[in-house]
Amino acid sequence: MGGPFFAVAAKEAGSGIIHLDWNDDKVIYAFVFAVGDWEGGEFCVPQLGIKIPVRPGQVLAVLARVLAHFSAPVTSGRRVVFTCFTDRLLFRHGCPEVVEFSY
């Protein structure tokens, strides 16, 4: 495969709209980390009723196609979020020997 992820997305602040990452594979974790100096911007998972602060130097692993999520507003400062993920179509095409899970 050449590495753990096929794609990296970068975005300033984050997405304030609740969503699922439909192109992610259901069984492969996405890794999220952020750089900058900011307040707010927690990773929110309404299904679980939690808000997770992701501070510089921390990495959050999440099944982003399974758990609906969004970012709380950044209330001050500047933050750039990086999401490392594996597109399910690229993964299945690149690794045909992987058995499809039924779930």
Side-chain angles (χ1 to χ4, degrees), residues 45-51:
V45 185
Q47 288 169 270
L48 304 177
I50 59 174
K51 293 181 179 182

Side-chain angles (χ1 to χ4, degrees), residues 34-50:
V35 296
D37 185 21
W38 72 91
E39 296 295 324
E42 296 85 358
F43 185 87
C44 302
V45 185
Q47 288 169 270
L48 304 177
I50 59 174

Side-chain angles (χ1 to χ4, degrees), residues 1 3 5-7 20-21 25 28-29 35 45-48 52 57 63 66 69 74 79-80 97 99 102:
M1 286 185 349
F5 304 107
F6 285 113
L20 292 170
D21 294 346
D25 193 276
I28 299 176
Y29 285 89
V35 296
V45 185
Q47 288 169 270
L48 304 177
I52 303 168
L63 292 172
V66 176
H69 57 280
V74 172
R79 175 183 79 160
V80 178
E97 68 278 4
V99 176
S102 60

